Amino acid sequence: MKSRIYRVGLTGGVASGKSTVTNLFRTLGVPIIDTDELARDVVEPGQPPLERLVERFGASILTPDGHLDRPALRTIVFSDHKARADLEALLHPAIGAAAESRSAAAGGPYQILVIPLLVEKNLGSQLDRVLVVDCKEGLQIRRLRSRDGSTLEEARAILAAQASREARLAAAHDVIKNGGALAALHAQVSALHARYLKNAAGAPD
């Protein structure tokens, strides 16, 4: 069931510029619900999802002070499809519930929900609009290698584990092209902001 608040799902591949675009919408006063932030919140020490993760994957996924060791967990699930499916089954309901709670409290004429796995999990039907931040795969790989120190092989493997660029674009109502020029991003975000305000007020698209 759709929220009464007009909701735009923002997604994109790794290193496509989702955070930059999100921050531009935030500066315009748009409420942002970021599922990556919520994913961190629900695995804080003492939270039931973290306890369930330890039951499934063992205490090796914890740091000495009891927090989730994300690199350790990532190593376990990255190349193991069953482990990744178990991780998602344990976390996604809690993240979804937190997103709905945050959305209900955030208000605003419309909201941006940042959902990296929107396409992979077929969540578009739960939203009023799907916005994809897009860039060429070669640029994603260069950004990944620069940002994380990934090898070319590692960067390609990370991209291969996600939905394809074509699948994301096919799911999009709107696309922001992020070739790296901040001024161009500003212009695209401003235009979409005006459109979403009209849509949220009931004007036809």
Side-chain angles (χ1 to χ4, degrees), residues 9-22 36 114-120 130-144 147-148 155-172 174-178:
L10 185 152
T11 194
V14 63
S16 60
K18 295 186 298 295
S19 295
T20 301
V21 171
T22 298
D36 272 350
V114 184
I115 310 175
L117 296 179
L118 189 156
V119 174
E120 288 86 342
V130 173
L131 170 59
V132 168
V133 182
D134 178 60
C135 69
K136 293 181 179 179
E137 291 182 357
L139 181 54
Q140 285 179 273
I141 288 173
R142 289 196 296 275
R143 288 172 175 166
L144 261 179
R147 185 185 76 186
D148 300 338
R156 285 175 172 164
I158 291 170
L159 262 64
Q162 299 189 325
S164 68
R165 183 184 184 195
E166 291 76 17
R168 282 192 298 272
L169 291 174
D174 304 304
V175 177
I176 285 181
K177 297 290 187 181
N178 182 17

Side-chain angles (χ1 to χ4, degrees), residues 18-147:
K18 295 186 298 295
S19 295
T20 301
V21 171
T22 298
N23 286 333
L24 291 174
F25 276 106
R26 184 178 279 116
T27 62
L28 294 171
V30 181
I32 305 294
I33 294 92
D34 189 330
T35 59
D36 272 350
E37 293 178 3
L38 297 177
R40 289 189 287 271
D41 292 343
V42 301
V43 293
E44 284 295 304
Q47 295 293 323
L50 180 59
E51 297 169 4
R52 290 193 286 269
L53 289 181
V54 173
E55 290 174 3
R56 167 61 178 85
F57 297 106
S60 66
I61 66 168
L62 295 178
T63 62
D65 63 358
H67 286 77
L68 179 63
D69 186 335
R70 294 177 185 281
L73 180 59
R74 191 179 303 119
T75 298
I76 293 172
V77 305
F78 184 74
S79 59
D80 185 332
H81 294 297
K82 177 63 166 61
R84 190 185 311 171
D86 289 346
L87 172 65
E88 293 174 355
L90 289 169
L91 286 188
H92 285 182
I95 296 169
E100 290 298 331
S101 176
R102 187 76 60 88
S103 175
Y110 77 93
Q111 299 171 352
I112 296 284
L113 277 68
V114 184
I115 310 175
L117 296 179
L118 189 156
V119 174
E120 288 86 342
K121 299 304 173 185
N122 297 310
L123 299 176
S125 63
Q126 301 177 21
L127 302 155
D128 296 286
R129 202 90 179 158
V130 173
L131 170 59
V132 168
V133 182
D134 178 60
C135 69
K136 293 181 179 179
E137 291 182 357
L139 181 54
Q140 285 179 273
I141 288 173
R142 289 196 296 275
R143 288 172 175 166
L144 261 179
R145 298 188 68 186
S146 174
R147 185 185 76 186

